[in-house]
Amino acid sequence: MRASPTILHLDMDAFFAAAEQAAKPSLRGKPVVVGGLGPRGVVATASYEARRFGVHSAMPMAQARRLAPNAAYLVPRFSLYRAVSEQVMRLLRELSPLVEPLSLDEAFVDLEAGGSAHDAAGARAAGERLRSDIRAVTGLTGSVGLAGSKMLAKIASEEAKPDGLVLIEPGTERELLGPKSVRILPGVGPATGEHLRRAGMSTVADLAAAGEDELVRLLGKAHGESLHRMAMGYDDRPVVAERDAKSVSVEDTFDVDLHDRVRVRWEVERLAERCVQRLRGAGRSGRTVVLKVRRYDFSTLTRSETLRGPTDDPVVVREAAARLLEGVDTTGGVRLLGVGVTGLADYTQEDLFAQAAAERAEGEASASERVEAVGAVGAVAADPAGTTRGAGSVGVGDAADRGGAGGSVPGESGALGGQGVPVGSPAVDARAWAGGPAGAPSRPGGGAAEPAAGESAGRPVAASPGGRGHAGLRPDGGQPGAGGDARADGPRGVDVAAGGGVGEPMEPDAREGASSEGEGRRGGRAGGKTGAGAGEAGAAAGPAGAGGGGGPVGHGSREAVVRERAAAGPGSAGPSDAGGAGGAGVPGTGGSGGPGGAGMPGPGGAEPGGAGEPRRWVAGEDVRHAEYGAGWVQGSGLGRVTVRFEEPGSPPGRVRTFWADDPDLEPSDPLPLVPGQSSWPASLPKSRSVEGGGGSARP
DNA sequence: TCTGGGGTCCTACAACAA
DNA sequence: TCTGTTGTTGTAGGACCC
């Protein structure tokens, strides 16, 4: 708590939605909702126009659609938001080196540390200058709070919204906070708020009056003490510029609950792979593997296992996650699965052993010790029951062998994928599934290959038409070309044809925005972008060989299966018979393909280059047409795509409809919201003319 | 048709070692 | 040697935030 209001909190106004409105002039002044468009999606951000209909963040998307049926519904485009966020953070760092980002659109700045303000007048001037700079550089508005502490600065920026600045003079905190709801204090959410309400405390003044002892009694020591201090207006938390991540995790919610144990296991292993990719991308390793399972009734379980040392080996993490799954009852259905790693370190157990081995090579250790050390790699700590699960542990040699095997599989995987996995045999080894988790690369030196190129501008490759898709492996055993998240927003991918629900190409202005749920169109261009042909994509068949058949979430109606089959190109795995039987990708699961018969994942079948399968386009995505120029996808369906031709800085544009596979139409990267900005990330185009069309090769 | 994804922090409890 | 206490570690769950 300082005497001058020199802690600044910036919060961009309705950030995602505002960025979309800036990028799409025809949406300005109209309700825009950004979030997951699948059946279980929630609202990430609603524009102020949409908020007037009662739409707010974290609201189920279905509810938002009921409240604001005419709003534009868009999927988030993180590449755009990250780029704008970088511009904003750069402006903040001009004010002070002490900038603490809280998220893409929010940060604290210590103005005093940067010498940009020492009193209220200076702070206000700096805040106003910042707001005007942000508007000039990004075209967006942000709200600024200034106070002597982080808590109050954040409360001030909330008061300032939208597009304002509020300064809280030190000394006025208690008076200002007293009448406000306890919910404005950080750490008081719905549960704590209700708890306090039942205890007769609804305002901050009530908390202050209750005293620390009472709050500790109600909420526990840490929470009670900190809340009491906050209620008194005390908060001396410093602005911290750098914070190390403490965990890395990935999770997926499925459109339809998973019942098939084999599928659940496959998903867990796939998530483990993605988690390790992220872990490695951050240059970290982790020691504790955590499995998260949300069941059909929304109850959530976590199971964790701590290894002997940190690892970034996909095999080790995958197998730990699979072991953890064995202890979880999934009967009744699984709604969400997640895999995470905590206890992060900058080195791996293998590093330590390598170092130790080098030392021993210099004669510092005996041969017997060497054997012991190598054998321990990847082994897990004894479990709580006191039994070491040796069967699941993997030694270095084992991992290396497996890596080799994984790499060798893709060539055959199409066929395997088509056969599906025998079910009813719990001993089924995922490693036998081509393109499935089995094929995961192991470590370099143990045969692994790193992802080729980070995130690749958010364009997953070799994804299935339904949006799912383990990307499969290159024949060299490496990861698919572009690396990054190989899954194209999988679980939410909905087969356009089968899923219904996706509108006709829209008439101009008949409905702003689009509700297309086909997020997985990437498959259509994956081959071209990565240099992989249809054959490779086919090799990515999922374990059960659902292929293009049963979509990942059970949208695999017979109709869809037939379409996908027809579209399967040579070299693709093709849908399994089970898929053909009605969408259940797993033979033997009683895969009746009944309602929501969950097909196994796996792009397999209809993949890029597949003759006749239209490409899929995501609502809101940037595109470029050879003749009409830059635009964005307003809607798609029934083999057509509707594009509005406009870009940041242009007047609202006109709408045209094309065949989805129109060769003149191609995807494009986001442009700066204010044309010609030098602070726009170098990896993204600064203008269409420079960029030459977005750069994605056609399949 | 309710309820995402990626985090952080805290609490409680059991096991174990000193 | 046995018992009680205390600290640490691992595990699980809950709340909260954006």
Side-chain angles (χ1 to χ4, degrees), chain A residues 682-693:
Chain A
S683 58
L684 295 175
K686 286 196 167 52
S687 76
R688 290 284 181 240
S689 55
V690 172
E691 165 211 15

Side-chain angles (χ1 to χ4, degrees), chain A residues 2-235:
Chain A
R2 54 182 68 170
S4 304
T6 50
I7 292 183
L8 180 150
H9 181 256
L10 170 75
D11 198 340
M12 300 295 289
D13 301 327
F15 183 52
F16 295 178
E20 295 297 347
Q21 287 176 315
K24 301 173 170 67
S26 60
L27 296 184
R28 290 174 195 163
K30 309 227 168 100
V32 172
V33 180
V34 179
L37 299 185
R40 287 174 170 173
V42 298
V43 174
T45 311
S47 70
Y48 284 91
E49 297 84 356
R51 292 180 196 191
R52 282 199 276 276
F53 291 89
V55 178
H56 57 79
S57 49
M59 171 183 280
M61 197 56 94
Q63 193 182 346
R65 286 184 192 277
R66 284 194 292 273
L67 290 170
N70 292 318
Y73 289 88
L74 305 169
V75 291
R77 293 190 298 152
F78 286 98
S79 57
L80 169 66
Y81 313 145
R82 263 194 296 271
V84 178
S85 179
E86 274 181 43
Q87 292 182 300
V88 172
M89 296 300 166
R90 195 166 295 143
L91 292 173
L92 295 181
R93 289 194 188 93
E94 286 173 12
L95 288 175
S96 169
L98 221 46
V99 174
E100 179 178 336
L102 301 177
S103 63
L104 285 176
D105 73 323
E106 223 182 297
F108 286 112
V109 183
D110 187 334
L111 296 177
E112 209 167 289
S116 41
H118 298 281
D119 55 18
R124 186 182 288 277
E128 290 295 5
R129 199 167 54 244
L130 172 69
R131 288 187 347 101
S132 118
D133 288 349
I134 288 174
R135 187 190 286 272
V137 169
T138 69
L140 305 181
T141 63
S143 297
V144 165
L146 291 158
S149 70
K150 286 165 83 170
M151 171 189 70
L152 290 164
K154 190 156 165 41
I155 288 171
S157 72
E158 200 58 40
E159 299 264 306
K161 280 184 165 301
D163 194 16
L165 180 149
V166 165
L167 183 149
I168 297 177
E169 289 281 1
T172 65
E173 304 85 9
R174 301 262 326 246
E175 180 190 344
L176 182 129
L177 289 174
K180 294 192 182 299
S181 161
V182 294
R183 290 293 305 275
I184 68 157
L185 298 180
V188 182
T192 309
E194 177 58 20
H195 200 89
L196 292 169
R197 193 194 60 77
R198 275 190 267 122
M201 291 174 251
S202 56
T203 66
V204 176
D206 293 338
L207 296 185
E212 186 179 290
D213 290 348
E214 175 66 3
L215 293 180
V216 168
R217 192 184 63 78
L218 277 171
L219 306 171
K221 186 170 162 57
H223 204 180
E225 283 177 2
S226 95
L227 214 53
H228 185 251
R229 290 181 61 78
M230 301 262 187
M232 301 291 286
Y234 301 138
D235 174 26

Side-chain angles (χ1 to χ4, degrees), chain A residues 660-690:
Chain A
D661 55 359
D662 187 321
D664 287 339
L665 195 63
E666 46 185 27
S668 171
D669 286 322
L671 288 168
L673 300 181
V674 174
Q677 279 299 320
S678 60
S679 61
W680 192 243
S683 58
L684 295 175
K686 286 196 167 52
S687 76
R688 290 284 181 240
S689 55
V690 172

